[in-house]
Amino acid sequence: MSDSPLPPLPADVLEDAADALGWLIEDMAEELEEAPTLEEVLDVLGWGLPEAVEDLASPFKPPIHFTAHLDGARA
């Protein structure tokens, strides 16, 4: 059982989100001429998310800063 306070998303929603994230990473890789780092992907998501949640009256202003740390790997 998950410790998440949110209910699980339907499989089709997760699949659509994974597809969209894959397209984003592919586009970034083409532009950068190499695979983007996690930090670069999170930066793009931070700028894009406020527009996506505008109708939800999000209290966040662009950009939203995400951070992640991976043991033994690049940010």
Side-chain angles (χ1 to χ4, degrees):
M1 181 166 189
S2 173
D3 292 334
S4 175
L6 301 174
L9 293 172
D12 61 326
V13 172
L14 291 175
E15 186 176 324
D16 289 347
D19 287 345
L21 186 57
W23 298 327
L24 169 68
I25 292 169
E26 285 179 15
D27 287 349
M28 290 180 70
E30 286 179 20
E31 184 72 26
L32 297 170
E33 298 181 355
E34 64 181 1
T37 64
L38 176 58
E39 183 177 28
E40 291 165 335
V41 172
L42 292 176
D43 190 42
V44 169
L45 290 175
W47 279 101
L49 188 58
E51 291 181 30
V53 297
E54 188 174 281
D55 292 339
L56 299 178
S58 172
F60 304 107
K61 301 287 183 217
I64 296 173
H65 295 283
F66 296 103
T67 58
H69 302 280
L70 300 174
D71 291 337
R74 298 186 298 174

